[in-house]
Amino acid sequence: MRPSPLDAYRPTWAEIDLDALAANLAVIRRRVGALPIMAVVKADAYGHGAVPVARALEAAGVAHFGVALPEEGVELRRGGLRGQVLVLGGFAPPQAELILAHDLTPAVFRPDQVESIARAAAAKGVRARVHLKVDTGMGRLGVPAADVPDFASLLEGARAVTVSGVFSHLAVADEPSDPFTRTQLDRFRQAVETLAQRGIRPEQVHLANSAAIMDHEPAWLTLVRPGIILYGYAPSAAMTPLPIRPVLSLRTRIIYLKQIPPGTSLGYGRTYVAASAARVASLALGYDDGLPRPAGNRGYVLIRGRRAPIVGRISMDLTTVDVTAIPEASLGDEALVIGISGPESLGADRIASWIGGITWEILCGIGSRVPRLYRGAGREQIVSRFASPLV
C-alpha cells in the first residue's frame, strides 16, 4: 500500500502535477514563440483547481487568464492572482460593479452590457476595459460579424469604456482540413478592420484556441488561448501532436474484497451477473468523483499495473471491479482511474471513448468533494473543501 498524505481523508483523491503543467506551458511557448499566452482556467481549470493552477502559471510568467463567469474571476482575485482576467462568457448587467471592483475584463456582445459597464465606470470615475466578442460562425455568443459596424457605433458612444480586445471562437479547428476555419478567420479579420475604420484598434486580437495553436498558425494573431493542451490532452486525434503530458491523475483505494459464486448479481439494476466464481473489489469512488456512470460494464481501472474490469453500474459513491485475474490485490491497494500504473496508462480521453463523450467532460466531472494533492518543485499542498480530516 503506497502511503498518501491524504490517508486521513476518504481514500479518493486527485493528484495535480504542477511540474507537468509547467512543462506543457513550455511546449506551448516553443510552439508560438514570443506571443503572449492567455491560460484558460474556467470550470475550475478543467477540474484541476483554478486558484492553484493559475498561481503556478502566473509564477511561470503567464499574465493573462480566461474564465467563463465573473464569479470565477472573483475567485482568482481572492486567491491572490494579479494578472489580467478576461471573462469570456460576458456578464449580467447587474454584475457591472462587481466586474470593476475586482478589476476583471469582461467580454461584451449586447448593448445592455456596454451601457451598464459604462454607467458603473462613469460613477466610479474610471475607464472600464472590455473585449468585444464577435460571432464568426460558432453561433453561441457574440456580435454577428455583419452587425459589427452598428455595435462599433455603440462602443464609440461609451466614453467610460476602452475596447482593449476583440476576439472570436473557432468551431472546427480540431478538424484541420475543414475549410470553415479559414472562413471564420476571414470574417474576423474583416470585423477587426471595420473597428479600425471607426478608430477602435484593440491591443489584444485573439482567436486561437488549443486546436488552432496546434494546426492553424494564421489564427495566432496577438495572443493565444490554450485550454485543454495546458492540461496535457489534444483536442482530437487529428491534430499534429505536441509533446504534452496529462497533469491530473485520479486515484482511489480498495475498501472491500469478497468472493462471489456464479449467478451473483452486482449493483443497481443487476446489470452484471457473474458467469463463474469471481473475486470482486469495491472502490471508494463513484460518478460524483469523476468516473461516469455509463462506464459501468465497459471500462476498467488499473490495480498493480493491470486492468480490473468495472462490473455492474457505477454508483454515486462506489464502483465494483473484478480482480479475479489480480490474485494479489489487497485491501487498501491503490486503484488508478486516470494516470499511469506500471506498463499501463489510462487517460481521461480513454474514459471518454467508453461513453461516447469528450475529454473535457471527464476532467470537469471530478467532483468538488475529491481533494486535490498538488505536487511541484519538491513541495506538496492539499486542497479540500473539507478543511481538515474529521475527528
Side-chain angles (χ1 to χ4, degrees), residues 179-354:
F180 191 64
T181 297
R182 169 60 65 176
T183 298
Q184 284 193 265
L185 179 56
D186 291 343
R187 289 174 181 172
F188 186 61
R189 284 177 168 157
Q190 181 57 54
V192 172
E193 177 58 29
T194 298
L195 292 174
Q197 292 169 1
R198 298 297 188 91
I200 301 173
R201 294 180 173 84
E203 178 184 357
Q204 296 171 341
V205 180
H206 49 108
L207 186 61
N209 55 9
S210 288
I213 290 169
M214 297 176 78
D215 275 303
H216 299 282
E217 186 172 347
W220 291 358
L221 307 176
T222 71
L223 62 77
V224 295
R225 304 191 309 257
I228 195 69
I229 57 174
L230 269 174
Y231 307 107
Y233 292 93
S236 79
M239 313 305 301
T240 301
L242 285 176
I244 52 178
R245 65 181 193 267
V247 171
L248 178 146
S249 61
L250 180 60
R251 303 167 187 272
T252 188
R253 293 198 188 278
I254 294 174
I255 59 170
Y256 194 62
L257 281 163
K258 65 182 176 183
Q259 293 287 147
I260 59 172
T264 301
S265 62
L266 299 172
Y268 288 114
R270 304 184 68 234
T271 61
Y272 174 85
V273 178
S276 58
R279 187 170 184 246
V280 297
S282 296
L283 308 179
L285 169 141
Y287 58 74
D288 186 57
D289 306 301
L291 189 56
R293 189 171 183 267
N297 296 312
R298 296 182 185 180
Y300 58 86
V301 301
L302 300 176
I303 297 174
R304 295 183 180 243
R306 281 172 281 174
R307 299 182 180 187
I310 298 169
V311 286
R313 285 183 178 159
I314 295 166
S315 302
M316 185 182 293
D317 317 305
L318 297 165
T319 297
T320 307
V321 297
D322 187 338
V323 293
T324 307
I326 313 173
E328 65 272 38
S330 303
L331 195 67
D333 270 3
E334 188 174 286
L336 198 65
V337 180
I338 298 173
I340 298 174
S341 178
E344 290 272 3
S345 64
L346 178 52
D349 50 351
R350 177 70 60 83
I351 297 173
S353 73
W354 298 336

